[in-house]
Amino acid sequence: LMQAIKQATMPTDSPLLQLDPDMSARDAQLVSTQKGRKLRCLGDLLVLSDSQLKSVFGPLHADPSTVERWCEGTRALPLLDVSVTPGFTMDGGSSKPQKPTSLNGLEPLTQYSITITLSHAPYKTLFKAPRMIKEVGQAYTPRFGKVQYEGWWAVLAQDTELLAVKRISMQGKSESTGVWANNGEVRVEGSKNAKKAESRTAKLMFITPETQGAYVLKLLVMSDAYLGLDQEYDVNITVGENQMTLSADASVISKEKLAEYQ
């Protein structure tokens, strides 16, 4: 609902209408149903090169300035990278937090955490940013009357049970230390002279199941400003005896899911 409000559209409308206030429902339908192209989701447009974008929009509109606006609107949307690594826990009877090397062989009924890192993948583009984008973390909401900011809800669940939820704001500048904490748990990482902060990091806490075995947790990363850019990943854990190996340095997100989004 918040996505639809900020974009001044209905939840059932095409996400392509976010690209330009003058884009019609028919324009959006023509883009998504072009012969020879399969646009499964809005993310398919975000990974195209400048020339590929022009080849998508160009045949549908004779006015070059309109095609330019559609391309600029596409580049204004965030190409979000998501990574997940094991966080700290208080298991093992230690008074100090311990960081497991994987999400394998976890203790039953024990509190663990995962670290979620969101970052904007850089675009290689010659298109200019829309004039309405004036500050770090501002969302592209051309139909909304006030400035809005980009945020994401990180939701961790197991089947129908909600384990953890946290909102991650992409607004804010990093300090000279390179790390700024706006609530003690959500961090902004980057450099003082960076044009925009490189990433946001948050921690999600969860309690492991009582029964030993392998489990698949669902991580949902949901935008509060954009339609059609939500992402879903599998986070695999095992409780009890080791059944698989996951490096703490590697993302525990399903590589197939990541490849599907990209």
Side-chain angles (χ1 to χ4, degrees), residues 42-43 46-47 74-83 116-123 150-154 168-170 196-201 219-224 226 228-233 253 257-259 261-262:
L42 188 58
L46 303 189
V47 297
T74 303
R75 288 293 183 250
L77 301 180
L79 183 58
L80 194 71
D81 279 343
V82 181
S83 66
I116 314 294
T117 301
L118 306 183
S119 59
H120 287 158
Y123 281 118
E150 179 188 346
W152 299 83
W153 289 96
I168 304 174
S169 173
M170 303 304 283
K196 62 180 180 181
E198 295 177 355
S199 64
R200 302 294 191 273
T201 301
L219 173 64
L220 306 177
V221 181
M222 306 177 68
S223 173
D224 67 358
Y226 300 109
L229 294 184
D230 297 343
Q231 302 183 37
E232 178 180 330
Y233 301 102
I253 286 177
K257 281 286 185 181
L258 186 58
Y261 172 76
Q262 294 178 334

Side-chain angles (χ1 to χ4, degrees), residues 135-154:
E135 55 184 302
V136 173
Q138 182 179 342
Y140 180 58
T141 54
R143 287 183 169 87
F144 201 84
K146 294 179 61 177
V147 172
Q148 298 296 307
Y149 295 95
E150 179 188 346
W152 299 83
W153 289 96

Side-chain angles (χ1 to χ4, degrees), residues 5-208:
I5 291 174
K6 290 187 177 183
Q7 294 297 335
T9 60
M10 297 297 291
T12 54
D13 289 341
S14 170
L16 296 173
L17 296 179
Q18 300 169 107
L19 303 183
D20 183 62
D22 295 328
M23 178 177 279
S24 66
R26 175 170 172 75
D27 290 332
Q29 183 180 16
L30 290 175
V31 171
S32 59
T33 58
Q34 282 190 77
K35 292 183 178 181
R37 293 189 181 274
K38 293 182 179 180
L39 297 177
R40 301 169 302 168
C41 61
L42 188 58
D44 287 344
L45 276 181
L46 303 189
V47 297
L48 297 180
S49 66
D50 285 358
S51 59
Q52 289 172 325
L53 270 182
K54 286 185 176 180
S55 70
V56 171
F57 297 138
L60 304 179
H61 210 288
D63 183 4
S65 63
T66 299
V67 174
E68 190 83 3
R69 287 201 314 274
W70 291 0
C71 292
E72 291 175 353
T74 303
R75 288 293 183 250
L77 301 180
L79 183 58
L80 194 71
D81 279 343
V82 181
S83 66
V84 180
T85 55
F88 287 91
T89 185
M90 296 296 292
D91 68 333
S94 172
S95 59
K96 297 181 179 180
Q98 305 292 319
K99 187 170 184 177
T101 58
S102 72
L103 295 178
N104 176 41
L106 306 183
E107 295 292 331
L109 294 178
T110 302
Q111 186 179 69
Y112 287 87
S113 68
I114 56 175
T115 299
I116 314 294
T117 301
L118 306 183
S119 59
H120 287 158
Y123 281 118
K124 295 181 179 180
T125 180
L126 298 177
F127 294 118
K128 298 179 181 179
R131 293 181 179 179
M132 66 170 293
I133 304 295
K134 299 181 182 299
E135 55 184 302
V136 173
Q138 182 179 342
Y140 180 58
T141 54
R143 287 183 169 87
F144 201 84
K146 294 179 61 177
V147 172
Q148 298 296 307
Y149 295 95
E150 179 188 346
W152 299 83
W153 289 96
V155 181
L156 188 66
Q158 179 190 349
D159 298 327
T160 59
E161 180 183 359
L162 177 64
L163 301 180
V165 60
K166 182 159 295 182
R167 185 181 184 275
I168 304 174
S169 173
M170 303 304 283
Q171 181 186 9
K173 297 182 180 180
S174 58
E175 296 181 349
S176 58
T177 57
V179 176
W180 168 76
N182 60 0
N183 64 2
E185 294 182 349
V186 177
R187 300 190 305 166
V188 179
E189 298 180 355
S191 63
K192 185 177 181 179
N193 297 323
K195 292 185 178 179
K196 62 180 180 181
E198 295 177 355
S199 64
R200 302 294 191 273
T201 301
K203 181 172 63 176
L204 296 180
M205 309 292 295
F206 65 96
I207 304 294
T208 51

